[in-house]
Amino acid sequence: MPTGRVVGILQRNWRDYVVTFPPREGPQPQSRNSQRILVVPWDHRIPKIRISTQQADALQDHRVVVCIDSWESTSLYPNGHSVRVLGRAGELETEVQTILIENCIHVPPFSDAQLREMPVNSPERPWTVDAVEVAERRDLRRSHLVFSIDPQGCEDVDDTLSVRSLAGGKLLELGVHIADVTHFVSEGSLTDLEARTRSTTYYLADRRYDMLPAVLSADLCSLLGGVDRSVNATLVLLVFP
């Protein structure tokens, strides 16, 4: 069996950490000098981090983002510095940002360049299926019963089922259909690269962060009832009643 040994560390995989300040016992003397404080990470698997700050009292009950700078081999705790203040612990936006940072989720707004790659669908310029696409695709709008298993009110309906009777009712054709995102997103485009980075849509209790711009995720690639949509990756099964 091959063996090896570590000969050096080229780069440490440190990330940003969300921390809180430990409770202070009684009033503290006012000082303009920085204090070295052991802050407590939100992730309890991470040891306390030593930082220098003049705002220890003001940041009580707040969540703060810190970055690790070094970790001496003789110390139990790494050294770091504060990056920014998220807000008071327990407040909704503070806790949401904490979840995103601690899970390394980076979801900035889509850039203007990415949005320029998107199709337009507005009351003034409604999107329609291209006649060439209609001719090349199999049309299920009138021959099949098409439905989704997503709950009522769901915006991003990205898959549906279809069913129709065959052989005088002796067979049922069951189809599984996925929204055709590749019709709108070209490989290697800015939107494609951003989607690769995000990998998925993130769902929280009161919001979601889309992998694709809303004109696709909640509209043109959402298989909503009563509107024309393009699908891809169709799987058809024959079922014996």
Side-chain angles (χ1 to χ4, degrees):
M1 178 182 296
T3 60
R5 62 189 179 92
V6 177
V7 297
I9 299 174
L10 298 180
Q11 181 178 356
R12 297 186 183 275
N13 192 26
W14 289 333
R15 59 174 177 83
D16 289 343
Y17 299 93
V18 179
V19 304
T20 53
F21 285 76
R24 310 277 279 178
E25 298 181 358
Q28 302 295 318
Q30 297 294 324
S31 173
R32 294 186 177 181
N33 298 325
S34 296
Q35 305 173 55
R36 292 175 65 80
I37 305 271
L38 285 174
V39 292
V40 182
W42 182 85
D43 186 344
H44 297 293
R45 298 171 299 178
I46 306 300
K48 296 178 180 178
I49 303 172
R50 184 183 292 108
I51 68 170
S52 296
T53 181
Q54 298 177 349
Q55 303 178 15
D57 291 329
L59 294 178
Q60 287 290 304
D61 300 325
H62 283 69
R63 296 204 188 277
V64 179
V65 179
V66 302
C67 181
I68 292 178
D69 299 317
S70 63
W71 195 342
E72 299 173 3
S73 60
T74 56
S75 174
L76 293 175
Y77 308 111
N79 300 309
H81 66 275
S82 60
V83 177
R84 68 182 188 276
V85 179
L86 293 181
R88 190 173 298 276
E91 293 183 352
L92 177 60
E93 291 304 320
T94 302
E95 299 304 319
V96 167
Q97 292 303 311
T98 297
I99 292 172
L100 296 179
I101 292 170
E102 285 293 330
N103 289 278
C104 300
I105 298 174
H106 183 58
V107 281
F110 290 99
S111 68
D112 291 340
Q114 292 163 349
L115 294 177
R116 282 196 294 269
E117 295 179 341
M118 295 294 97
V120 175
N121 188 30
S122 65
E124 297 78 19
R125 297 175 58 190
W127 178 86
T128 58
V129 181
D130 187 88
V132 175
E133 290 289 323
V134 173
E136 294 179 349
R137 293 176 181 267
R138 185 180 179 189
D139 193 343
L140 306 182
R141 291 174 292 183
R142 296 172 180 83
S143 57
H144 293 64
L145 173 64
V146 181
F147 57 95
S148 171
I149 60 173
D150 288 304
Q152 186 174 4
C154 181
E155 294 183 354
D156 51 341
V157 183
D158 54 4
D159 46 41
T160 59
L161 301 175
S162 69
V163 63
R164 71 169 174 171
S165 176
L166 298 175
K170 296 181 181 180
L171 292 175
L172 288 179
E173 179 190 84
L174 177 65
V176 181
H177 315 282
I178 308 298
D180 188 3
V181 176
T182 59
H183 178 68
F184 302 101
V185 180
S186 301
E187 183 177 1
S189 64
L190 296 176
T191 306
D192 178 42
L193 298 178
E194 179 65 25
R196 295 185 197 182
T197 301
R198 300 192 182 206
S199 301
T200 187
T201 295
Y202 301 99
Y203 292 89
L204 301 183
D206 66 335
R207 70 195 70 185
R208 75 171 193 259
Y209 295 94
D210 291 321
M211 182 177 69
L212 296 167
V215 67
L216 296 185
S217 61
D219 191 358
L220 298 183
C221 288
S222 186
L223 306 178
L224 306 173
V227 292
D228 294 337
R229 292 292 183 263
S230 300
V231 297
N232 204 351
T234 299
L235 172 66
V236 177
L237 305 174
L238 294 180
V239 180
F240 296 88

